[in-house]
Amino acid sequence: AAAGILCYVGAYVFITYDDYDHFFEDVYTLIPAVIIIAVGTLLFIIGLIGCCATIRESRCGLATFVIILLLVFITEVVVVVLGYIYRAKVEDEVDHSIRKVYNGYNGTNPDAASRAIDYVQRQLHCCGIHNYSDWENTVWFKQTKNNSVPLSCCKAALSNCTGSLTHPMDLYSEGCEALVVKKLQEIMMYVIWAALAFAAIQLLGMLCACIVLCRRSRDPAYELLITGGTYA
């Protein structure tokens, strides 16, 4: 169950980051998500080993289980550290990339980056980098010469919005940069909290395995005695 949840968290991060990948260029930001998926996959195998070793009360199996859990625990600590590092870098990454993405917007024949802008503005209810007036400095705005912003800036509740700057009340007033940063940082926090939660589970697993190992070592050795075809 823990392995499945970890893999889900990692996959969720990948899918969500894919919607915002045009706003940051550092692919290493996804390293924590990659690690947590790998840990989740490994954790499933480790869980099977631990169950079999516990049922059979195999000292060797339990010892191996504890060692592997310790390695996974260390890996999850690394995920938490990397998560905090890349969470702090998100703002700089978005600030560095977002202006270039907006300046390359093409509303006539939209490419992937242009579709990403429209998606973000609709999804996060924002317009422009800091506000809708930022569109006035883009190449697309100067080429269209219609004094309007993309329709993705229009409030969802309005059906007759044309994106015209003469009706600013029809447009989202908040800029997208701060909201994109906030969204990406929230996603990274999911990774951090998932790693912390399951690191605690790892500790519990190691503790339980150690208790079983200690009890097993105190038990008297059982020997199979064969006498005349009967077992004693």
Side-chain angles (χ1 to χ4, degrees), residues 1-137:
I5 294 172
L6 279 177
C7 288
Y8 170 79
V9 171
Y12 171 77
V13 171
F14 263 106
I15 294 171
T16 309
Y17 259 72
D18 186 56
D19 296 328
Y20 300 91
D21 63 351
H22 291 89
F23 299 97
F24 64 95
E25 299 175 349
D26 188 358
V27 295
Y28 297 107
T29 307
L30 291 173
I31 285 179
V34 174
I35 295 176
I36 208 168
I37 290 176
V39 167
T41 305
L42 181 61
L43 195 59
F44 178 76
I45 300 172
I46 294 170
L48 292 178
I49 294 173
C51 287
C52 293
T54 304
I55 292 171
R56 299 182 62 181
E57 294 190 0
S58 168
R59 291 190 64 188
C60 180
L62 284 172
T64 303
F65 178 63
V66 172
I67 292 171
I68 297 176
L69 275 185
L70 179 60
L71 294 176
V72 172
F73 175 79
I74 294 171
T75 304
E76 287 174 336
V77 172
V78 171
V79 169
V80 172
V81 173
L82 289 176
Y84 272 107
I85 291 173
Y86 289 117
R87 185 177 181 273
K89 292 176 63 177
V90 163
E91 187 170 358
D92 292 335
E93 277 291 317
V94 173
D95 184 61
H96 174 73
S97 305
I98 195 168
R99 294 183 185 278
K100 183 168 63 177
V101 177
Y102 268 81
N103 283 330
Y105 182 83
N106 184 348
T108 307
N109 298 300
D111 53 11
S114 300
R115 291 195 298 271
I117 290 176
D118 287 329
Y119 172 82
V120 166
Q121 291 191 151
R122 289 193 180 99
Q123 192 75 9
L124 301 183
H125 296 172
C126 58
C127 184
I129 300 173
H130 301 104
N131 55 57
Y132 56 80
S133 64
D134 291 323
W135 278 105
E136 297 179 33
N137 301 319

Side-chain angles (χ1 to χ4, degrees), residues 165-182:
L165 290 178
T166 58
H167 299 89
M169 296 300 295
D170 294 348
L171 310 174
Y172 295 121
S173 59
E174 194 167 359
C176 292
E177 181 178 5
L179 294 178
V180 168
V181 169
K182 181 181 178 182

